[in-house]
Each structure stands twice: as structure tokens, then as C-alpha cells.
Amino acid sequence: MSALQATGGKIFASICSLPTWGPGALHMRDDPKVHGTDAERKLFTTDNQAWRTTAGKMAEHGIGVDMFVAAPGGTYVDVATIGRSSAFLSAAESMDEFAHAVTRETGYQAMMKVRCSNGLQVSAYHGNFIQHALGADLEIGSIDADKAIGVMFSYDGKLDPKLDAHFQAALLYTTAEGQRRVRCINVVAAVNEGGLETMKFIDQDCVVSIMAKEGKLAT
């Protein structure tokens, strides 16, 4: 990580067994006896906070991580912990994606800001990033077209059905060539007083994804 602090960049890492030595060393904690019980929740939490701390530092320096996990025979590798190195940055999910991950267009040292019309406010974000305070910009070590950020909005006033609602997502990032760029996504949505009209145009995949992420936070 120290080699990339000055410039940012991308780390491709692979793992096939539980890292039991050195900084961030982990121990075998999987217990079949707790599967299906309330105690199983602990297996989905970070076992060593050093991984979370390192991920935060990497995001601050614009360093992304694609981690490829290939555990032979289903060997336990504690993805809940080692995955923290990707949770604030970026993540690749299988060895089949390696060539694509290396060659795809990637943005580094990214910062993201979402704005919306009066009467609405951003209530939550879901994705791989770090946010130092509520309302602060999102910091992302690296980002590409295969990544997504979920944003939840809530009412903080009354919307006028005669006016449209406006949303904007602004992403500031650095290209591999060192150019600093801004990409803006603007959305205009009609306001109506009945929920039925809104349901006709709802993105079901997006809703299910957000519900799953909200459910994960509740466990």
C-alpha cells in the first residue's frame, strides 16, 4: 500500500486459505454448530479491525482492491473480514473476471456527491465507499462501470405535484492517464400525489437490492 500512497492505483489480490500470520492475522472461527442460530450472525462481522482500518487508509489515498477468492474444497477463508479491504474500495467476485478487471476503464481517487430537490434529502448510501460524516462526500478508492452506489431519499418537506423533482450525482475521479474528470448524472422525475402511479415505473431490481442491503444492516 505504501508504494501507491502518492499516486493511488489498483491492487489485484488472490487468496486461497485463511491468512493466519502477520498483520491482520485471522483464526478459524467457523463452527457448524452455530449455523442457523442467532450466534451465526457473528460470522458475518469483521473479526480483526485491522482490515477495516487498512481499507479506510487505502480509500483516502485512492487505492482500489480487486480480491479474487479461490478456496479449494470450500476452505474457510473468512470473507466477512478480508472482504473489508474491498468494501470501501471496489471488489471483484470470481477468477473469471480477472482479465476483464485488468483491462476495463477505471477511475481512481474518486469522490461522489448526490443532490436532490427541496422537500427531499439523502437518508442513506449503500455500496463500497467510505464516508467520514453524515452528509460528507463519498470517497471511493477506484470505480468502474461494473460498480453501483445505492442512494435512499426521504421527505423533509412537501413536494409540489405541479413541479418536477430533480436529482444529480456528481463523480470526480482521476483516469489512468492522470486526468481529473467530473461525470454528472441528472434525473428529472414527475411528482404525483398517488402511490399507484409511482409503482408503475418502479425499478424492481433496485428495490430488492436496497431491501437486501437494509436487511444486512439490521442483522
Side-chain angles (χ1 to χ4, degrees), residues 83-163:
R84 300 308 303 180
S85 62
S86 296
F88 295 152
L89 312 167
S90 65
E93 298 178 353
S94 70
M95 291 298 293
D96 294 337
E97 296 181 353
F98 184 76
H100 176 61
V102 172
T103 58
R104 66 187 166 197
E105 189 74 21
T106 301
Y108 304 93
Q109 298 176 321
M111 298 185 69
M112 185 176 183
K113 180 74 173 182
V114 177
R115 302 177 179 88
C116 55
S117 298
N118 291 333
L120 295 170
Q121 64 177 354
V122 176
S123 59
Y125 292 98
H126 294 286
N128 297 340
F129 57 82
I130 187 170
Q131 187 179 27
H132 293 290
L134 184 64
D137 294 347
L138 307 184
E139 297 182 18
I140 309 168
S142 64
I143 193 166
D144 52 68
D146 297 322
K147 306 300 183 295
I149 302 292
V151 185
M152 291 187 65
F153 300 91
S154 61
Y155 293 104
D156 67 351
K158 184 176 178 59
L159 296 177
D160 188 344
K162 297 179 181 179
L163 302 176

Side-chain angles (χ1 to χ4, degrees), residues 153-193:
F153 300 91
S154 61
Y155 293 104
D156 67 351
K158 184 176 178 59
L159 296 177
D160 188 344
K162 297 179 181 179
L163 302 176
D164 293 330
H166 297 260
F167 304 87
Q168 182 186 75
L171 178 68
L172 175 65
Y173 66 96
T174 302
T175 66
E177 293 76 22
Q179 295 179 338
R180 200 67 171 155
R181 296 180 180 177
V182 177
R183 172 166 292 188
C184 290
I185 301 174
N186 299 298
V187 176
V188 179
V191 177
N192 66 80
E193 297 178 335

